[in-house]
Amino acid sequence: MTEILRVEGLTTRFFTDEGQINAVEDVDFRIHEGEIFGIVGESGSGKSVTALSLVDIVEKPGQIVSGRIWLRNPHLADSIRSDNPDAVDGEMVDLRSINPRLRRALRGSAFSMIFQDPMSSFNPSITVGEQIAEAVEVQRRAKANPRSTASRTQGFGLGQFAMATVLPSKRFVTPAGRDRAIELLELVGIPDPAQRAEEYPHQFSGGMLQRAMIAQALASEPDILLADEPTTALDVTIQAQVLELLEEIRDRTNMTILLITHNLGVIARTCDRVGVMYAGEMVERGTLTDIFRDSVHPYTQGLIGSIPQLDQVKGRLQPIPGNVPSLRAAELGDRCYFADRCPKAMKRCLEKPPMFDVDGSEKHRAKCYLAEQPYDEGDALPEDYFDG
Amino acid sequence: MATKTATSDVIPWDKIDMLLRHRTGRVLLAAITALLVYVVLSGTGIGPEETSTRIILSMVVGCLLWAHLVYGAWLVKRELQGLFVIWGVVTVVFFLRFLTPGDPTIALTPPDASTDVREQLARRLGLDEPLYVQYADYIWNLVTLDMGRSLRTQVPVMDLILIRLPATIELAVAATLVAMVIAIPLGVISARRRHKPADYSATLFSLVGISTPNFWLGIMLILYVAVTVDFLPTGGRSIGFAAAWGGLLMEGDFDGISRWFAQLILPAITLGTFFTALLTRLTRSGMLEEIGKAYFKACQAKGLPETIILYKHVLRNTLIPIITVLGLQLGTLIGGAVITEFVFAWPGLGRFLINSIHSRDWMVIQGIIIIIGIGFVVINIAVDAAYAYLDPRVELR
Amino acid sequence: MISARLRRSLKREFRQSRMAQVGALILVVIFITTAFAPFFAPHDPTEQRIGTGTTEDMSYLPPPVFSTTENVTVFEDGERVTREVTTQGNWSFVLGTDRHGRDILSRILYGGRVSLSVGLVGAALAALIGVPWGLAAGFAGGRVDDTLMRWADVMLAFPSLVLAIALVGIFRGTPFHTRAIGDPFVWAANSDFVPNILIPRAGHVAEMPESMTFPVTVTIVVALVNTVWFARVARGEAISVREEDYIKAARSMGTGKLTILRKHVLPNSMTPIIVLATIQVAAIILLESALSYLGFSGISLSWGQDIQRGQSDLRRGWWMATMPGLAIVAAVVAVNLVGDWLRDALDPSIEGEGGV
Ligand SMILES: Nc1ncnc2c1ncn2[C@@H]1O[C@H](COP(=O)(O)OP(=O)(O)OP(=O)(O)O)[C@@H](O)[C@H]1O
Ligand code: SF4
Ligand SMILES: [Mg+2]
């Protein structure tokens, strides 16, 4: 299986008035073509910020501090190999090292995103069809005129906008785009798509709108689909349907999907490989079996222990006593961030654990000393160590 | 039956229906009607004498027709509500005269008024009749569009008002345009460059703008701008809208239009500054709020050009709540127009109102207040309609 | 009335916002200098200096550093002679003098007394009428609400300036149109009861005008036309509070409506009302200045009146109309800044946004 995405040392921080927040800290993972990679973790563990960092839409005061995001894109690799050899590795291109305009032009075509709450992720005052058609249009224009996409206005500045308000033929969205939007709505199983395309988001039900959102994400024919908790806001029965739809898309088009959730049930039924995030770090990653049967990180074990049945889609995680730490750099300290909640914390854990290969396989890795040594009760931290 | 068939043969109802369903068709129909009204008015010589008043009247008829075609039952309901408000305004005005200290025929007539004039007012107000008769007479007169005669000049109040109305409307529209043209881009820039020098200057401008009394601003403009730029007059309105544009279009006369433009600039800035400042502020904060919403991220993730995100998505949604606020600030616009007209000797309703109060011409005062109340109600309905047009979640019922 | 949490948020916002600090500073300066105007005003604001035989007539005296030139026609040896006279400003009249040689700075301080007191009294009066109105409407709901709020609509249909002009125009003749209010400081400086040692610059203060004229009708009218804003806000608050569980509980236990209004609804509505009142002070100062500019306030010593006189002397000198206007702008900017600060601190829903 070919690797399509390789993230190395991704670190994203928010520099707020109240201090620095390390939302994503030194995250590594790889995704292969056609697989569904899951990221799981409690609320506030940095899953969404990871996704936003990939698309490069982290808003101020947030900033991607370091890291490399290697994306397989042979065409782009060839075109910039001579100018910027550092940014190219075989067929992979490092999105962090290329020109920001080029990177922005890849929005939509490299990654497209499905958000948690479809109701607020569609503009309430523009028809659903039009919004999907916009996504189609962005890619169509990029293909038709590759050079304009690298300009600041992406070929559509204020002048064009003013003209479009007067001349319907100059509008951003063309009839062809609208037709494609209707096709896409049909593809994701929305009945009567031509009419639905003319309707506004508030006229859709939540499940229907999430389907429309998936259609919008597919519109740009992305290399990787980022689904950030696509089912959290939906009813249980609808959740299953949406997941089925995602799987169906993957099976039919060999689409690569990064699925973010805090529901291990969802992970268990859809994903091929999994990364577990805690306090901005990816603390363990591996195949589904690695994580569900052979996990070494006590946090992962806690997560799994907390769900009664693996294939039950329902139920949020309320696994381990205690709370996710605040990600303020000042309060984090330099230890295993999980130590205060870890039932197996040892003295050694007051020093930050590096990433270990588990059982010598670099496919299964964990940020925990238990990957290289068994739990040593003699060395355990006193229970009330963090209370004071 | 036979006649019905005949008419449906002659008039293609289904075609008309289709026409009326179509956006352009409705506009076309309204425009044709307005033109017809104008031709009839000028052909037969009924109605107002001034050309500009005629044009305005026929445009009003056209707009009304169009609005009813588009908004139907909702508009009728709002009109009834508006009538209620106007009735309230009228009633308040009726009772105002009882608040006057002493003999109303003295308090409400010019200081130099003759006994004749005072008797005329007494008769008009029906002072010796019982209250309900006075009230009924008063309402009846208004319903028949009879506002009486000015106590000073004996000219019908309706005529006096209609002559001055275009100047006021011209000023108010110009000020609104100035405000929109300046404030919306300024607000957008300010929100985009948050916490940058451009943002701070825009914020400072809007703060000072909403804190400056507009009569003083007008005086300052006269003092520091009009005297240095000879192109700009210090006041007055030497040429009307219709004459200026008519001259340009019919005779290619640039002199009239440039005079018209020059005389309008300073008053429009004076009246528009407050709204520019307010609108800048509202646009900025509204944009920031919208940018925080999830759909903004979704637009970015799609890879949409920034122009489209900012202007098609964010700005449009920002304007929706702003429209309501501006509707509420309409009173400020009208009040501001009154005082701007006074400063620039602009021959509109506002200056007329002040002069009439100074000369205690009650019939005129009453007429102007009622007209302003009606204008307010009409614009508010228009604001609500615009709101519903922009926000699909609002249904007009 | 204001909880500890709110007080903390007020403090935090104040520390963070430079604008709030500037606004508060200007406001404090204006408050002190106008409230204690007799101490700070360099001259008697009503004292005329024409034909006093001093160096110049001292009318149209520009601010220091500036000078004006005008043609003066005089009789000399029975003949008319036109001469060019240049007048140089001097530091005794920091902002210059007007056509009667009255000191503009002193007039601004005294005019500020009128504007600020009309603003404060007017806003308080408007709140006193509007808040019970809105609370009653919102809390009662149904028919009462409809009736009261319809009247609010009607009142909104009058642009406040137009309504104010009309009302003031009608009330002008009444005896209570203006009222003279004695100046306690001047009284104290002149009286034998208070030892003059207690009063700084007693001699100076004693020379100041003994009373100031307060525009009563204008105050009532600006309060009346602004009542409706308070009613709207109070009603909104009452409606949202009405649906709270604890109010429902109190109602079901048979607590009287008035008690609920006073004990629960009013305190909860306090924050937005305070913010609104601050903004209204700014609006009322502007409205008052417009009314007195138009000559409806019935008093001659006010910012608006001075601007109007300055306008008629526009050809003679720029400073007469400019200076009082700057005072208005400073005062209103300051009040608005303080209003923004309160809004940002007290209303977390709009925190940080739109604020200046
Ligand atoms: N705009 C922002 N400004 C400051 N901090 C932010 C911002 N966005 C996110 N963060 C911080 O980043 C951390 C990670 O947030 P993120 O949204 O990625 O969590 P998540 O894992 O997606 O949680 P959830 O399951 O609730 O979506 C949080 O602690 C949050 O405080
Ligand atoms: S490193 Fe130590 S504290 Fe951290 S998870 Fe592993 S055992 Fe627990
Ligand atoms: Mg999230």
Side-chain angles (χ1 to χ4, degrees):
Chain A
M1 269 205 289
T2 39
E3 194 174 73
I4 189 163
L5 179 73
R6 187 168 81 230
V7 175
E8 290 171 355
L10 182 65
T11 301
T12 303
R13 293 182 177 149
F14 288 90
F15 300 93
T16 66
D17 295 341
E18 279 92 39
Q20 174 186 330
I21 293 173
N22 297 355
V24 175
E25 192 67 23
D26 196 18
V27 163
D28 296 309
F29 61 94
R30 291 153 187 237
I31 305 183
H32 302 291
E33 194 159 3
E35 81 174 346
I36 300 186
F37 184 84
I39 294 185
V40 67
E42 283 167 292
S43 196
S45 53
K47 307 183 295 293
S48 297
V49 176
T50 305
L52 296 179
S53 305
L54 293 182
V55 193
D56 194 28
I57 50 175
V58 181
E59 84 211 41
K60 288 250 172 86
Q63 202 189 333
I64 302 176
V65 182
S66 62
R68 312 198 94 179
I69 298 171
W70 296 95
L71 180 77
R72 202 177 85 98
N73 190 334
H75 182 70
L76 185 64
D78 286 343
S79 71
I80 61 173
R81 196 185 308 273
S82 54
D83 299 338
N84 193 354
D86 277 354
V88 181
D89 173 16
E91 292 189 328
M92 308 287 275
V93 178
D94 175 19
L95 300 183
R96 300 298 317 154
S97 332
I98 62 177
N99 184 329
R101 282 186 188 165
L102 212 53
R103 191 181 334 148
R104 202 180 46 193
L106 284 174
R107 278 184 198 165
S109 76
F111 305 98
S112 62
M113 236 180 133
I114 302 171
F115 294 87
Q116 170 173 348
D117 181 11
M119 262 322 163
S120 63
S121 308
F122 272 110
N123 184 342
S125 54
I126 294 182
T127 60
V128 172
E130 170 100 4
Q131 297 188 54
I132 298 175
E134 283 176 347
V136 176
E137 209 65 45
V138 170
Q139 301 310 324
R140 192 187 62 77
R141 283 167 187 265
K143 281 205 192 82
N145 186 3
R147 302 184 63 192
S148 75
T149 55
S151 76
R152 202 182 58 77
T153 56
Q154 287 162 270
F156 209 86
L158 260 184
Q160 278 91 340
F161 186 79
M163 201 125 95
T165 52
V166 188
L167 300 174
S169 59
K170 300 277 180 203
R171 294 230 172 105
F172 185 73
V173 173
T174 57
R178 275 175 228 277
D179 292 344
R180 174 74 184 137
I182 295 173
E183 277 173 39
L184 284 161
L185 283 174
E186 193 166 15
L187 189 77
V188 295
I190 288 182
D192 205 358
Q195 196 208 324
R196 293 254 112 174
E198 297 294 313
E199 291 180 3
Y200 291 92
H202 71 277
Q203 291 163 303
F204 278 64
S205 69
M208 279 296 160
L209 206 55
Q210 193 59 293
R211 282 171 188 269
M213 170 93 75
I214 293 174
Q216 175 175 280
L218 295 179
S220 50
E221 296 169 2
D223 297 332
I224 301 179
L225 192 63
L226 306 180
D228 187 0
E229 312 200 13
T231 58
T232 311
L234 305 177
D235 288 344
V236 187
T237 45
I238 316 259
Q239 286 185 6
Q241 290 174 12
V242 168
L243 288 177
E244 261 161 40
L245 176 64
L246 283 177
E247 283 174 311
E248 188 193 317
I249 288 167
R250 192 269 303 260
D251 295 342
R252 201 167 50 207
T253 62
N254 199 29
M255 172 83 68
T256 315
I257 299 177
L258 173 69
L259 182 68
I260 294 175
T261 176
H262 42 219
N263 188 329
L264 269 179
V266 170
I267 296 277
R269 64 164 283 184
T270 45
C271 295
D272 304 307
R273 291 186 318 116
V274 190
V276 179
M277 282 192 77
Y278 183 78
E281 294 182 319
M282 189 162 281
V283 291
E284 184 163 14
R285 66 184 157 87
T287 61
L288 207 56
T289 17
D290 289 338
I291 296 298
F292 278 87
R293 254 206 0 243
D294 308 325
S295 64
V296 291
H297 201 288
Y299 177 66
T300 315
Q301 290 164 353
L303 285 181
I304 292 163
S306 70
I307 38 168
Q309 282 154 349
L310 278 190
D311 47 0
Q312 191 176 357
V313 177
K314 202 177 136 187
R316 295 204 162 198
L317 301 177
Q318 203 33 282
I320 308 129
N323 294 317
V324 193
S326 120
L327 298 184
R328 251 184 244 173
E331 292 166 27
L332 275 175
D334 193 27
R335 55 166 165 91
C336 169
Y337 298 151
F338 188 58
D340 54 341
R341 297 166 75 191
C342 181
K344 295 179 181 170
M346 300 168 288
K347 296 234 169 65
R348 197 180 170 193
C349 307
L350 294 176
E351 215 170 285
K352 212 163 169 37
M355 201 59 150
F356 294 104
D357 291 350
V358 179
D359 300 332
S361 146
E362 74 153 16
K363 296 229 163 79
H364 181 190
R365 310 191 84 198
K367 245 182 199 164
C368 173
Y369 293 115
L370 296 177
E372 65 161 19
Q373 68 164 95
Y375 178 50
D376 173 6
E377 257 178 81
D379 202 28
L381 275 180
E383 276 204 1
D384 54 355
Y385 183 84
F386 290 102
D387 294 353
Chain B
M1 267 318 262
T3 48
K4 204 174 175 188
T5 334
T7 43
S8 59
D9 280 349
V10 179
I11 305 170
W13 284 114
D14 48 337
K15 291 236 176 72
I16 292 185
D17 189 53
M18 241 177 62
L19 192 71
L20 291 189
R21 269 172 205 291
H22 207 271
R23 211 181 268 179
T24 345
R26 294 187 290 226
V27 173
L28 219 69
L29 189 71
I32 293 172
T33 314
L35 209 67
L36 267 180
V37 170
Y38 179 74
V39 169
V40 169
L41 279 185
S42 40
T44 56
I46 21 175
E49 317 232 306
E50 270 220 12
T51 321
S52 55
T53 329
R54 272 192 205 140
I55 293 179
I56 289 175
L57 194 66
S58 40
M59 273 173 18
V60 165
V61 172
C63 289
L64 270 182
L65 180 70
W66 174 81
H68 278 271
L69 288 177
V70 176
Y71 292 105
W74 174 83
L75 188 58
V76 175
K77 190 180 150 212
R78 281 305 310 261
E79 280 168 347
L80 290 178
Q81 280 176 0
L83 271 184
F84 178 83
V85 173
I86 291 173
W87 169 76
V89 171
V90 161
T91 306
V92 170
V93 172
F94 174 78
F95 283 105
L96 277 183
R97 74 170 77 135
F98 297 102
L99 295 175
T100 52
D103 180 359
T105 63
I106 294 176
L108 302 180
T109 50
D112 56 347
S114 62
T115 0
D116 268 3
V117 168
R118 282 204 247 127
E119 272 170 16
Q120 177 203 337
L121 180 69
R123 235 184 359 259
R124 175 83 194 181
L125 301 182
L127 286 179
D128 39 5
E129 313 238 22
L131 191 61
Y132 66 92
V133 179
Q134 287 183 33
Y135 186 67
D137 274 355
Y138 166 78
I139 294 285
W140 176 245
N141 281 333
L142 289 180
V143 169
T144 54
L145 292 182
D146 173 11
M147 291 192 174
R149 286 167 184 275
S150 157
L151 299 173
R152 253 164 50 86
T153 56
Q154 299 299 322
V155 180
V157 171
M158 202 63 167
D159 293 357
L160 290 173
I161 289 179
L162 283 182
I163 292 173
R164 289 167 174 82
L165 195 55
T168 299
I169 293 178
E170 183 181 298
L171 178 60
V173 170
T176 315
L177 285 182
V178 166
M180 290 201 309
V181 167
I182 299 176
I184 292 178
L186 208 58
V188 173
I189 290 170
S190 183
R192 259 181 62 189
R193 307 199 187 289
R194 202 176 172 196
H195 300 318
K196 299 246 172 73
D199 181 22
Y200 288 127
S201 353
T203 313
L204 190 69
F205 159 76
S206 62
L207 174 70
V208 175
I210 58 169
S211 308
T212 305
N214 66 354
F215 60 91
W216 181 71
L217 178 66
I219 296 171
M220 292 300 106
L221 286 177
I222 292 174
L223 178 59
Y224 295 106
V225 179
V227 293
T228 42
V229 186
D230 347 312
F231 174 67
L232 298 171
T234 56
R237 180 175 184 254
S238 58
I239 186 167
F241 175 85
W245 284 91
L248 178 71
L249 298 179
M250 312 275 185
E251 290 145 33
D253 169 22
F254 278 97
D255 181 52
I257 195 89
S258 64
R259 255 193 309 145
W260 176 78
F261 199 65
Q263 75 191 6
L264 195 54
I265 290 180
L266 292 185
I269 291 178
T270 303
L271 179 55
T273 296
F274 176 84
F275 289 92
T276 313
L278 186 71
L279 199 54
T280 306
R281 222 172 197 220
L282 293 173
T283 311
R284 175 182 184 272
S285 60
M287 292 277 294
L288 287 177
E289 199 181 317
E290 290 294 320
I291 283 175
K293 291 191 178 164
Y295 76 82
F296 180 76
K297 277 247 137 66
C299 284
Q300 283 186 317
K302 278 195 276 191
L304 278 185
E306 201 180 63
T307 326
I308 297 272
I309 303 184
L310 282 183
Y311 292 92
K312 178 172 166 186
H313 287 263
V314 178
L315 182 61
R316 182 197 163 107
N317 287 355
T318 304
L319 289 182
I320 294 171
I322 287 181
I323 283 178
T324 332
V325 181
L326 289 188
L328 278 178
Q329 290 291 339
L330 203 68
T332 323
L333 180 71
I334 297 174
V338 170
I339 210 155
T340 307
E341 287 176 7
F342 187 76
V343 174
F344 284 95
W346 191 260
L349 276 190
R351 195 169 75 115
F352 193 37
L353 173 68
I354 292 169
N355 290 342
S356 303
I357 286 183
H358 277 305
S359 65
R360 295 202 218 143
D361 192 338
W362 176 246
M363 298 313 289
V364 173
I365 300 174
Q366 163 184 306
I368 295 177
I369 293 180
I370 291 171
I371 288 291
I372 289 180
I374 292 175
F376 190 90
V377 166
V378 169
I379 300 176
N380 257 323
I381 295 178
V383 165
D384 282 358
Y387 187 93
Y389 175 77
L390 284 175
D391 188 349
R393 285 165 299 181
V394 176
E395 271 182 48
L396 297 177
R397 250 177 295 136
Chain C
M1 199 164 79
I2 289 185
S3 68
R5 190 180 60 82
L6 287 183
R7 216 171 305 138
R8 234 176 303 126
S9 123
L10 276 174
K11 269 194 206 136
R12 177 159 39 84
E13 189 67 34
F14 189 75
R15 242 180 291 115
Q16 282 176 2
S17 159
R18 176 63 46 84
M19 293 298 226
Q21 295 163 5
V22 172
L25 182 72
I26 303 178
L27 208 56
V28 166
V29 169
I30 292 180
F31 256 118
I32 292 179
T33 50
T34 54
F36 300 99
F39 302 98
F40 290 101
H43 302 278
D44 180 345
T46 55
E47 186 193 346
Q48 306 195 352
R49 296 176 185 80
I50 293 183
T52 46
T54 45
T55 46
E56 307 292 343
D57 261 345
M58 303 246 281
S59 59
Y60 300 121
L61 192 68
V65 183
F66 296 97
S67 64
T68 52
T69 314
E70 57 182 328
N71 293 325
V72 179
T73 311
V74 285
F75 275 106
E76 228 168 61
D77 307 329
E79 254 183 84
R80 282 167 171 276
V81 185
T82 304
R83 252 188 303 172
E84 220 171 57
V85 179
T86 299
T87 324
Q88 184 74 39
N90 77 55
W91 284 101
S92 160
F93 299 90
V94 179
L95 299 182
T97 66
D98 69 3
R99 86 167 80 171
H100 299 296
R102 295 176 295 200
D103 177 39
I104 288 179
L105 176 61
S106 308
R107 291 187 72 77
I108 285 179
L109 292 183
Y110 271 83
R113 276 185 150 186
V114 177
S115 286
L116 286 188
S117 47
V118 172
L120 292 175
V121 175
L125 209 58
L128 275 183
I129 307 169
V131 171
W133 173 9
L135 287 183
F139 199 63
R143 186 85 50 82
V144 184
D145 185 20
D146 277 353
T147 320
L148 286 175
M149 280 304 125
R150 281 275 160 255
W151 275 107
D153 285 350
V154 173
M155 282 190 71
L156 276 176
F158 287 122
S160 53
L161 183 72
V162 174
L163 183 60
I165 291 175
L167 286 175
V168 172
I170 289 167
F171 281 125
R172 250 184 318 182
T174 54
F176 55 86
H177 185 46
T178 59
R179 262 275 178 277
I181 298 175
D183 189 322
F185 305 116
V186 181
W187 174 83
N190 280 321
S191 91
D192 302 330
F193 300 119
V194 188
N196 277 359
I197 315 289
L198 289 181
I199 303 169
R201 305 181 78 191
H204 177 78
V205 172
E207 302 279 291
M208 290 290 157
E210 278 169 15
S211 64
M212 71 171 232
T213 331
F214 183 76
V216 181
T217 26
V218 167
T219 311
I220 296 175
V221 165
V222 294
L224 281 183
V225 298
N226 283 303
T227 324
V228 64
W229 296 101
F230 286 93
R232 285 173 66 101
V233 169
R235 171 175 176 267
E237 289 300 310
I239 286 178
S240 65
V241 173
R242 191 177 62 189
E243 300 304 323
E244 300 276 341
D245 285 339
Y246 66 97
I247 300 279
K248 285 185 180 154
R251 270 183 136 171
S252 65
M253 287 190 318
T255 319
K257 277 192 175 174
L258 264 183
T259 321
I260 295 184
L261 270 180
R262 194 166 42 82
K263 279 210 169 144
H264 300 291
V265 183
L266 186 60
N268 272 301
S269 324
M270 226 45 223
T271 12
I273 290 172
I274 289 174
V275 175
L276 177 68
T278 319
I279 298 169
Q280 283 293 312
V281 170
I284 288 178
I285 290 178
L286 286 177
L287 188 55
E288 186 272 338
S289 71
L291 285 174
S292 59
Y293 165 75
L294 294 175
F296 289 123
S297 66
I299 58 176
S300 61
L301 181 44
S302 75
W303 288 342
Q305 266 293 296
D306 281 3
I307 291 176
Q308 199 231 347
R309 270 191 297 266
Q311 185 186 13
S312 51
D313 286 332
L314 225 45
R315 286 166 190 285
R316 311 295 290 274
W318 51 269
W319 60 93
M320 284 167 282
T322 308
M323 295 304 176
L326 288 178
I328 300 181
V329 175
V332 178
V333 162
V335 175
N336 275 329
L337 284 176
V338 170
D340 285 341
W341 162 51
L342 291 178
R343 190 196 52 195
D344 289 347
L346 300 181
D347 188 357
S349 66
I350 41 178
E351 192 174 12
E353 310 297 0
V356 191

